[in-house]
Amino acid sequence: AYVWQPVAGCPRDLPLFFLSAGDLCDVMKTACLGQPIGGESAAVALFFAEYLPAIRRHGAWLYKRMLWEAAAAGHALWLAAEAEGLRG
């Protein structure tokens, strides 16, 4: 079971949660769609969205936009990690 504890110091409008401590390599590999890099990473960020209400309100085009935004955020995190020398 996950603890779903808000991360200290995060703004209230940024719902970032601590889920669990310990060896989560297999869990993260699964969460990353079976990609081995997910289990080998120092950190894994997963993005969740309640997309159905947004799609109902704005139309199906919004689904692609939400995926694009999640991908852009993930890419920015990856670039920041690379800049800090966090690789392999």
Side-chain angles (χ1 to χ4, degrees), residues 22 30 34 38 42 52 63 69 87:
T30 300
L52 284 178
Y63 183 75
E69 288 184 11
R87 173 182 258 208

Side-chain angles (χ1 to χ4, degrees), residues 3-4 11 16 19 21 26 28 32 38 40 44 53 58 62 68 83 88:
V3 292
W4 290 94
L16 186 61
L19 298 179
D26 290 337
M28 289 300 99
C32 293
E40 300 165 0
V44 175
H58 299 287
L62 190 64
W68 180 86

Side-chain angles (χ1 to χ4, degrees), residues 1-39:
Y2 297 111
V3 292
W4 290 94
Q5 188 175 41
V7 174
C10 280
R12 285 187 170 185
D13 61 343
L14 177 63
L16 186 61
F17 295 92
F18 171 79
L19 298 179
S20 182
D23 184 350
L24 299 171
C25 293
D26 290 337
V27 173
M28 289 300 99
K29 180 179 173 185
T30 300
C32 293
L33 305 176
Q35 297 178 68
I37 195 169

Side-chain angles (χ1 to χ4, degrees), residues 61-82:
W61 68 271
L62 190 64
Y63 183 75
K64 281 187 178 181
R65 175 60 190 234
M66 293 172 79
L67 287 177
W68 180 86
E69 288 184 11
H75 190 69
L77 289 170
W78 175 67
L79 288 175
E82 286 278 334

